[in-house]
Amino acid sequence: MNTDRSHVPPRYRLGLPLWQIAGLAALAMPRVFLHDAGVSVPGPVQGLLVFGPPLVWVIVTVVRRIPSPVVPLLTIGGLYGLGLALVHNLYWADAFRDQPPRLGGNLAGQLSPATEELLFRMATTASSLLTGLVVGLICGLLATLVRRLTGRRSDAR
């Protein structure tokens, strides 16, 4: 019996090793840092920073013939959302300077500034996570469509 399995690619629960999933999510982080730091970049570079990483995500899952691209791309998007939330919270003081967001309407002045800031930071974190997951889902659906249109199905082994 031959026990040499060096020719058989390893199977990963998410279709990719975790280090690759983290690396793909990290591709989207330079734009987040530049945006939150207030650094202006030319239009074509901005477009590359916005659309390049998700395009790479889709290409990697299609080329690697991942059976269900939605699962790893949701994971990548979720990690991107975590990074987005972290950077937004790190740059909070720079983004708002001396005018932090405040509740309005009937809630104006009802809570302490620290409580209001906590609520806004929690909302920002939730929004960032949702943004990452939505980007991941859209990429996963796009990768699935590309696989179907190009006939790139997983090997039937």
PDB file of all heavy atoms in Angstrom, residues 131-144:
ATOM      1  N   THR A 131     -20.543  45.602   6.833  1.00  0.00           N
ATOM      2  CA  THR A 131     -19.952  45.984   5.551  1.00  0.00           C
ATOM      3  C   THR A 131     -19.030  44.882   5.047  1.00  0.00           C
ATOM      4  O   THR A 131     -19.107  44.475   3.884  1.00  0.00           O
ATOM      5  CB  THR A 131     -19.178  47.309   5.678  1.00  0.00           C
ATOM      6  OG1 THR A 131     -20.091  48.349   6.018  1.00  0.00           O
ATOM      7  CG2 THR A 131     -18.445  47.662   4.395  1.00  0.00           C
ATOM      8  N   GLY A 132     -18.151  44.384   5.912  1.00  0.00           N
ATOM      9  CA  GLY A 132     -17.241  43.315   5.514  1.00  0.00           C
ATOM     10  C   GLY A 132     -17.972  42.060   5.090  1.00  0.00           C
ATOM     11  O   GLY A 132     -17.633  41.440   4.072  1.00  0.00           O
ATOM     12  N   LEU A 133     -18.991  41.683   5.831  1.00  0.00           N
ATOM     13  CA  LEU A 133     -19.758  40.481   5.491  1.00  0.00           C
ATOM     14  C   LEU A 133     -20.508  40.645   4.175  1.00  0.00           C
ATOM     15  O   LEU A 133     -20.577  39.711   3.369  1.00  0.00           O
ATOM     16  CB  LEU A 133     -20.718  40.124   6.629  1.00  0.00           C
ATOM     17  CG  LEU A 133     -20.042  39.591   7.895  1.00  0.00           C
ATOM     18  CD1 LEU A 133     -21.058  39.483   9.035  1.00  0.00           C
ATOM     19  CD2 LEU A 133     -19.367  38.250   7.637  1.00  0.00           C
ATOM     20  N   VAL A 134     -21.054  41.822   3.928  1.00  0.00           N
ATOM     21  CA  VAL A 134     -21.764  42.066   2.668  1.00  0.00           C
ATOM     22  C   VAL A 134     -20.794  42.021   1.491  1.00  0.00           C
ATOM     23  O   VAL A 134     -21.091  41.424   0.453  1.00  0.00           O
ATOM     24  CB  VAL A 134     -22.550  43.396   2.716  1.00  0.00           C
ATOM     25  CG1 VAL A 134     -23.042  43.801   1.344  1.00  0.00           C
ATOM     26  CG2 VAL A 134     -23.722  43.285   3.683  1.00  0.00           C
ATOM     27  N   VAL A 135     -19.620  42.636   1.650  1.00  0.00           N
ATOM     28  CA  VAL A 135     -18.610  42.575   0.588  1.00  0.00           C
ATOM     29  C   VAL A 135     -18.211  41.123   0.340  1.00  0.00           C
ATOM     30  O   VAL A 135     -18.127  40.679  -0.810  1.00  0.00           O
ATOM     31  CB  VAL A 135     -17.378  43.451   0.937  1.00  0.00           C
ATOM     32  CG1 VAL A 135     -16.234  43.198  -0.045  1.00  0.00           C
ATOM     33  CG2 VAL A 135     -17.753  44.925   0.947  1.00  0.00           C
ATOM     34  N   GLY A 136     -17.995  40.367   1.398  1.00  0.00           N
ATOM     35  CA  GLY A 136     -17.656  38.955   1.252  1.00  0.00           C
ATOM     36  C   GLY A 136     -18.759  38.161   0.571  1.00  0.00           C
ATOM     37  O   GLY A 136     -18.483  37.323  -0.288  1.00  0.00           O
ATOM     38  N   LEU A 137     -20.002  38.428   0.945  1.00  0.00           N
ATOM     39  CA  LEU A 137     -21.131  37.721   0.328  1.00  0.00           C
ATOM     40  C   LEU A 137     -21.241  38.046  -1.157  1.00  0.00           C
ATOM     41  O   LEU A 137     -21.416  37.145  -1.987  1.00  0.00           O
ATOM     42  CB  LEU A 137     -22.438  38.077   1.046  1.00  0.00           C
ATOM     43  CG  LEU A 137     -23.710  37.458   0.464  1.00  0.00           C
ATOM     44  CD1 LEU A 137     -23.651  35.929   0.527  1.00  0.00           C
ATOM     45  CD2 LEU A 137     -24.937  37.981   1.198  1.00  0.00           C
ATOM     46  N   ILE A 138     -21.132  39.317  -1.503  1.00  0.00           N
ATOM     47  CA  ILE A 138     -21.200  39.707  -2.914  1.00  0.00           C
ATOM     48  C   ILE A 138     -20.080  39.034  -3.702  1.00  0.00           C
ATOM     49  O   ILE A 138     -20.304  38.501  -4.790  1.00  0.00           O
ATOM     50  CB  ILE A 138     -21.147  41.243  -3.059  1.00  0.00           C
ATOM     51  CG1 ILE A 138     -22.443  41.855  -2.530  1.00  0.00           C
ATOM     52  CG2 ILE A 138     -20.904  41.657  -4.513  1.00  0.00           C
ATOM     53  CD1 ILE A 138     -22.405  43.368  -2.374  1.00  0.00           C
ATOM     54  N   CYS A 139     -18.870  39.034  -3.142  1.00  0.00           N
ATOM     55  CA  CYS A 139     -17.746  38.372  -3.810  1.00  0.00           C
ATOM     56  C   CYS A 139     -17.993  36.869  -3.940  1.00  0.00           C
ATOM     57  O   CYS A 139     -17.689  36.275  -4.977  1.00  0.00           O
ATOM     58  CB  CYS A 139     -16.451  38.631  -3.048  1.00  0.00           C
ATOM     59  SG  CYS A 139     -15.851  40.316  -3.185  1.00  0.00           S
ATOM     60  N   GLY A 140     -18.548  36.254  -2.904  1.00  0.00           N
ATOM     61  CA  GLY A 140     -18.841  34.825  -2.953  1.00  0.00           C
ATOM     62  C   GLY A 140     -19.865  34.485  -4.021  1.00  0.00           C
ATOM     63  O   GLY A 140     -19.714  33.512  -4.749  1.00  0.00           O
ATOM     64  N   LEU A 141     -20.894  35.306  -4.124  1.00  0.00           N
ATOM     65  CA  LEU A 141     -21.904  35.079  -5.160  1.00  0.00           C
ATOM     66  C   LEU A 141     -21.325  35.305  -6.550  1.00  0.00           C
ATOM     67  O   LEU A 141     -21.608  34.553  -7.485  1.00  0.00           O
ATOM     68  CB  LEU A 141     -23.117  35.982  -4.916  1.00  0.00           C
ATOM     69  CG  LEU A 141     -23.898  35.691  -3.629  1.00  0.00           C
ATOM     70  CD1 LEU A 141     -24.979  36.744  -3.407  1.00  0.00           C
ATOM     71  CD2 LEU A 141     -24.502  34.288  -3.653  1.00  0.00           C
ATOM     72  N   LEU A 142     -20.484  36.323  -6.685  1.00  0.00           N
ATOM     73  CA  LEU A 142     -19.828  36.595  -7.967  1.00  0.00           C
ATOM     74  C   LEU A 142     -18.899  35.447  -8.347  1.00  0.00           C
ATOM     75  O   LEU A 142     -18.888  34.999  -9.498  1.00  0.00           O
ATOM     76  CB  LEU A 142     -19.058  37.917  -7.890  1.00  0.00           C
ATOM     77  CG  LEU A 142     -18.344  38.348  -9.150  1.00  0.00           C
ATOM     78  CD1 LEU A 142     -19.330  38.548 -10.298  1.00  0.00           C
ATOM     79  CD2 LEU A 142     -17.569  39.634  -8.902  1.00  0.00           C
ATOM     80  N   ALA A 143     -18.123  34.944  -7.396  1.00  0.00           N
ATOM     81  CA  ALA A 143     -17.219  33.823  -7.667  1.00  0.00           C
ATOM     82  C   ALA A 143     -18.008  32.578  -8.074  1.00  0.00           C
ATOM     83  O   ALA A 143     -17.596  31.853  -8.988  1.00  0.00           O
ATOM     84  CB  ALA A 143     -16.356  33.526  -6.447  1.00  0.00           C
ATOM     85  N   THR A 144     -19.129  32.341  -7.423  1.00  0.00           N
ATOM     86  CA  THR A 144     -19.975  31.204  -7.785  1.00  0.00           C
ATOM     87  C   THR A 144     -20.493  31.352  -9.206  1.00  0.00           C
ATOM     88  O   THR A 144     -20.476  30.392  -9.988  1.00  0.00           O
ATOM     89  CB  THR A 144     -21.158  31.086  -6.791  1.00  0.00           C
ATOM     90  OG1 THR A 144     -20.627  30.908  -5.472  1.00  0.00           O
ATOM     91  CG2 THR A 144     -22.070  29.928  -7.148  1.00  0.00           C
TER      92      THR A 144
END
